[in-house]
Amino acid sequence: MEPTFPLLRLPENVIIEVIKNLAIDSLFDFSLISTKTKNIVASLGIEASGVRIIISRVVLVIVYGRYFSMNRSFYHGSVYQDALIHLDSNQLISAYSRSIYDRRTVRSSTPLFSFNNWLDHIKTVFCYNKPPNVEFSAGNRQFEMESLKNVIKSVNELVVNGYNTEFRNRELLEHFKNVNKLTLGRNLFGEACEVQKYLIQNFKSIRFCDDVSLDDMLLVNSRRVDFSCTISQKQFNQFLKHWIRGSNPRLQYMNLSTNLVDGKVYLKGIRCIEMSEELKKEIRQKYESSDIEMVQIRRKEGTTAVIATKHLGPFLCVRFYVLY
């Protein structure tokens, strides 16, 4: 039997030098040994840029930073299949880690916590004190709603996919309404106009994954907008004419795709301003884009915007940058 290395008997500054070389998963496991090791790992100042919770048939927590990513999943096994799951209970649960090589789910050898304990530990170790990003996907209805509200009180980014009943979608969107970023999936409501009450709200950004009408586009009141479904060139042309006359005053960026016609964007009836190569380069650097063609337009009160396009198979990828 190989001798063990008495790491925890060393001075704290020496322990820190040793664990700096650990991979992120091993470092996290080390933090679970005791309160002392948790505080030591937290003292390294490894800051997460985000914590994402994906709630489906299991709960996946992903923590990621500039140079690292780690995931832990919860509520595996048939014991949970026949009853609603309460996330805010005091029940002790195991965490699981998934290998990036063989994709097998492996039970962790770490201590047992409640889900709240696990989440608090992750946020403490990785110096994260902001609301998480939360995605509700297929299978999330097995998690009891009131416990979700108790555990996840505030959210930075909310993703609601079209895998729920209309009643469940309304519950989720009503409870997590004070978000910065919102993604709406397909077929959320029986009536398409129901979505408009969310499009008109002033989020930092909104992503809409269903068919969109011109009225929908004109109602959007977020700074950033992403449309996943392709719209027609005529519809985009009509939107631009409304924008020139003063619509969508908060808009700063729009991303969409349209059908490819003659290899360029349809700008009939719109006065365009040619751009220098230097200004095009500046736009590409500022927005970290690889757009090829660019043209500038101006609205009545003087605000300018850039329409940038790039071929993407049979579609034309369009980005609309408003310059303030």
Side-chain angles (χ1 to χ4, degrees):
M1 186 174 180
E2 296 183 1
T4 58
F5 181 66
L7 177 61
L8 296 179
R9 297 180 185 176
L10 299 176
E12 187 169 309
N13 62 325
V14 177
I15 295 175
I16 289 174
E17 290 301 314
V18 173
I19 65 173
K20 280 181 180 179
N21 299 304
L22 294 178
I24 200 70
D25 285 271
S26 298
L27 191 64
F28 183 72
D29 289 343
F30 177 78
S31 74
L32 290 161
I33 294 173
S34 66
T35 302
K36 176 182 177 179
T37 60
K38 180 182 76 171
N39 293 336
I40 289 175
V41 175
S43 73
L44 296 177
I46 302 174
E47 293 188 16
S49 56
V51 171
R52 189 172 194 85
I53 304 173
I54 301 175
I55 302 174
S56 56
R57 291 179 177 84
V58 299
V59 176
L60 180 65
V61 178
I62 306 170
V63 56
Y64 51 90
R66 187 174 182 182
Y67 300 111
F68 73 92
S69 177
M70 186 197 78
N71 69 73
R72 290 293 183 270
S73 56
F74 307 88
Y75 299 103
H76 288 270
S78 59
V79 66
Y80 303 110
Q81 292 180 359
D82 298 325
L84 287 176
I85 302 171
H86 294 255
L87 265 70
D88 61 342
S89 68
N90 293 320
Q91 181 182 21
L92 302 182
I93 59 172
S94 297
Y96 297 77
S97 61
R98 185 180 292 272
S99 169
I100 62 172
Y101 301 105
D102 59 17
R103 308 304 294 173
R104 288 187 298 110
T105 302
V106 181
R107 183 169 181 171
S108 171
S109 60
T110 56
L112 291 173
F113 293 146
S114 69
F115 181 75
N116 279 347
N117 295 148
W118 281 109
L119 197 56
D120 290 343
H121 188 92
I122 289 171
K123 294 173 73 172
T124 298
V125 166
F126 294 107
C127 308
Y128 189 80
N129 56 11
K130 301 175 184 177
N133 303 320
V134 181
E135 175 179 344
F136 289 93
S137 194
N140 76 81
R141 280 186 291 170
Q142 69 177 325
F143 293 95
E144 195 271 332
M145 191 65 202
E146 286 303 316
S147 69
L148 288 172
K149 295 178 181 179
N150 290 332
V151 171
I152 309 171
K153 294 182 173 61
S154 60
V155 172
N156 176 52
E157 178 183 358
L158 177 66
V159 179
V160 180
N161 291 320
Y163 302 111
N164 303 304
T165 63
E166 184 173 338
F167 179 76
R168 178 76 164 191
N169 290 331
R170 291 180 187 278
E171 275 193 309
L172 294 171
L173 288 166
E174 176 61 28
H175 176 66
F176 301 109
K177 58 186 176 182
N178 296 320
V179 299
N180 291 318
K181 303 177 182 179
L182 178 65
T183 295
L184 298 174
R186 297 181 66 89
N187 303 318
L188 294 183
F189 305 106
E191 297 291 333
C193 62
E194 286 291 312
V195 174
Q196 293 182 346
K197 67 175 67 174
Y198 302 102
L199 296 178
I200 202 171
Q201 296 181 40
N202 58 343
F203 301 109
K204 182 178 180 181
S205 73
I206 188 167
R207 183 169 182 258
F208 188 48
C209 305
D210 211 338
D211 296 328
V212 59
S213 67
L214 177 60
D215 286 342
D216 294 333
M217 296 177 71
L218 296 176
L219 282 173
V220 169
N221 200 31
S222 299
R223 283 183 282 172
R224 174 184 173 121
V225 183
D226 292 271
F227 292 121
S228 294
C229 290
T230 301
I231 67 172
S232 70
Q233 288 258 20
K234 182 179 179 180
Q235 183 174 323
F236 182 59
N237 181 270
Q238 291 174 319
F239 169 80
L240 292 177
K241 290 177 180 178
H242 281 281
W243 181 84
I244 289 171
R245 291 194 290 267
S247 74
N248 305 80
R250 295 186 75 248
L251 182 64
Q252 296 181 10
Y253 171 87
M254 178 182 287
N255 180 40
L256 55 91
S257 64
T258 183
N259 52 308
L260 192 59
V261 179
D262 298 327
K264 57 184 179 181
V265 68
Y266 179 68
L267 297 173
K268 184 178 179 180
I270 295 175
R271 182 182 177 185
C272 299
I273 305 168
E274 291 297 324
M275 298 174 61
S276 67
E277 289 302 318
E278 183 179 350
L279 181 55
K280 291 180 181 179
K281 182 179 179 181
E282 181 181 326
I283 294 293
R284 292 187 186 106
Q285 291 176 341
K286 179 179 179 180
Y287 295 98
E288 299 180 346
S289 72
S290 58
D291 300 308
I292 307 301
E293 300 296 330
M294 293 187 193
V295 68
Q296 197 168 5
I297 64 174
R298 179 178 287 112
R299 68 196 299 168
K300 286 188 174 181
E301 38 67 48
T303 301
T304 58
V306 171
I307 304 165
T309 59
K310 180 174 65 174
H311 290 184
L312 193 64
F315 303 106
L316 192 65
C317 180
V318 181
R319 292 182 177 86
F320 184 68
Y321 306 107
V322 181
L323 308 181
Y324 289 99

